[in-house]
Amino acid sequence: MSGLLDRRFVVVTGKGGVGRSTAAVTLALAAGKAGKRTCVVELYGNRRIAQWFGLGDRSYKACSIAPNVDTMSLTAMDAMDDFGQRKLKLDALVRMVLNSRVTHAFVDAIPGLHDLVQLGKLENMLLEPLPGDAHYDLVIVDAPATGHGLTLLAAPQAMSELTKIGPFHELASIIARLLDDPKKSAVVLVTLPEELPVNEGIELALGLGDNQKLLHSVIMNQARPPSLPPVPAWDHIHALLSTAPDPDLRELLRVAEPFWRRQLSQEQALHRLKTLAELLNRQIPIAQLPKVEHGELSPDDLHILAEQLLPQVTT
Ligand SMILES: Nc1ncnc2c1ncn2[C@@H]1O[C@H](COP(=O)(O)OP(=O)(O)OP(=O)(O)O)[C@@H](O)[C@H]1O
Ligand SMILES: [Mg+2]
């Protein structure tokens, strides 16, 4: 996965619940440890990462969660307000009107506009920070679940088709330029070590269309280190133990069996994931993020995961 942290803009995507937020924040902490000034951003007002770090009520401001690492929870209306101020040079009163319910309905009605203005805010943070703004080397986006993850990246194209002139067209072109350059932007796909999530992940990757070129790597979340011998050694052990006259040995086999099935399923998932590289005809590195075996993840767990991810994303 070398080079990932040298990108400016990384979109972490995957199906719902696979661990996108975990992977996004872990990647951000790893980047921070590597000396990159990083902001990990949740869209649509999501606050999973903010909650992990005990941040209070939602605010549009970036908050520090570790040395070099900030987090931010963005909404389309926040981004719209920012756009009104920066690009349209609207004064506070007009922006207040824009923030009304009528405008919300209007913004909702235009496909892709929510995505576009949020992407626009991120592009500004990276490439056009105002005096007094933080300067980031890297912005990592915790993309919404699949359907949305795809529309997010397709937003500039959708807007270019809707409007050929004006500020939104200009915004779409600016973002398209950022997304068009795999040296600046990357997509990281998160999946789990099981058949269905891996198949869904591959489907998502293939559905990226023009943005497929941005797919940089995969994070297999909740991976477990192999603890039992691989096939065929296991087949041999299984044959021996299942016919053993001693009931204690057969009981041992019964206890070990589910662990072995899980390990086999992970090996098969990894094998299947590797076919993605063949389908896309280029290397797609796979990093493994271990499963933390106790309860809810804490900031300490996330830092430990980041230490484990760091060598995988830098070599
Ligand atoms: N490596 C891991 N080890 C242990 N638990 C994990 C790990 N990764 C994720 N989890 C747990 O799985 C749950 C889902 O993770 P996360 O919130 O990152 O998923 P998501 O894909 O962002 O979900 P959503 O679709 O709701 O946004 C969380 O409760 C988290 O604590
Ligand atoms: Mg999430």
Side-chain angles (χ1 to χ4, degrees):
M1 287 173 84
S2 69
L4 182 64
L5 301 183
D6 297 326
R7 304 296 191 280
R8 304 292 315 276
F9 186 58
V10 173
V11 178
V12 177
T13 190
K15 282 290 250 188
V18 294
R20 291 183 322 281
S21 302
T22 308
V25 71
T26 303
L27 196 56
L29 294 173
K33 290 176 201 297
K36 303 278 178 187
R37 289 161 305 173
T38 306
C39 190
V40 56
V41 182
E42 299 187 82
L43 302 182
Y44 292 92
N46 286 325
R47 290 185 48 78
R48 187 91 189 90
I49 296 170
Q51 279 162 0
W52 271 321
F53 286 86
L55 299 175
D57 289 343
R58 202 191 76 74
S59 96
Y60 177 24
K61 278 177 121 174
C63 299
S64 170
I65 54 171
N68 291 330
V69 187
D70 289 353
T71 191
M72 174 193 273
S73 166
L74 195 58
T75 67
M77 289 320 285
D78 290 332
M80 194 69 179
D81 186 51
D82 195 77
F83 183 72
Q85 193 177 358
R86 271 177 179 246
K87 296 282 165 172
L88 308 179
K89 312 271 185 244
L90 303 177
D91 66 23
L93 186 67
V94 180
R95 285 180 10 244
M96 212 167 79
V97 175
L98 267 182
N99 225 339
S100 72
R101 269 219 253 142
V102 179
T103 316
H104 276 244
F106 165 76
V107 169
D108 286 348
I110 302 174
L113 189 55
H114 280 242
D115 294 316
L116 191 77
V117 287
Q118 290 179 91
L119 286 174
K121 170 67 190 169
L122 304 180
E123 195 273 343
N124 280 169
M125 279 165 59
L126 269 175
L127 302 179
E128 301 175 59
L130 295 174
D133 283 355
H135 283 61
Y136 295 111
D137 300 310
L138 175 62
V139 165
I140 297 176
V141 184
D142 175 3
T146 309
H148 251 104
L150 293 178
T151 55
L152 178 75
L153 291 170
Q157 177 68 27
M159 186 54 68
S160 300
E161 282 163 16
L162 273 177
T163 147
K164 302 289 175 215
I165 50 162
F168 291 120
H169 179 78
E170 206 179 298
L171 180 62
S173 311
I174 291 170
I175 298 163
R177 273 205 293 282
L178 177 68
L179 293 181
D180 210 36
D181 184 353
K183 288 204 180 72
K184 284 200 185 119
S185 301
V187 171
V188 173
L189 175 72
V190 184
T191 187
L192 293 169
E194 293 155 31
E195 188 183 354
L196 185 65
V198 163
N199 287 342
E200 288 173 342
I202 292 176
E203 202 180 308
L204 193 164
L206 299 178
L208 284 169
D210 283 352
N211 290 312
Q212 228 174 51
K213 62 177 181 296
L214 297 180
L215 183 68
H216 179 278
S217 42
V218 176
I219 292 181
M220 192 166 88
N221 186 30
Q222 305 216 16
R224 290 182 166 98
S227 52
L228 292 163
V231 207
W234 170 264
D235 284 346
H236 185 59
I237 294 168
H238 190 278
L240 279 180
L241 291 186
S242 58
T243 53
D246 184 342
D248 286 350
L249 287 178
R250 294 202 301 275
E251 177 61 7
L252 183 67
L253 179 66
R254 197 188 62 74
V255 173
E257 183 105 38
F259 291 97
W260 188 76
R261 295 217 165 281
R262 200 170 68 191
Q263 182 171 315
L264 184 64
S265 147
Q266 176 168 314
E267 274 171 30
Q268 287 167 340
L270 196 56
H271 185 72
R272 175 103 182 88
L273 257 186
K274 288 182 181 157
T275 61
L276 191 54
E278 288 162 29
L279 288 169
L280 300 183
N281 203 18
R282 63 190 167 88
Q283 286 199 337
I284 306 286
I286 302 169
Q288 297 195 20
L289 207 53
K291 176 163 177 70
V292 176
E293 298 287 356
H294 63 82
E296 191 46 50
L297 294 173
S298 69
D300 283 351
D301 294 327
L302 294 167
H303 276 283
I304 293 167
L305 288 176
E307 295 283 358
Q308 288 165 321
L309 189 62
L310 185 57
Q312 301 185 69
V313 292
T314 46
T315 52

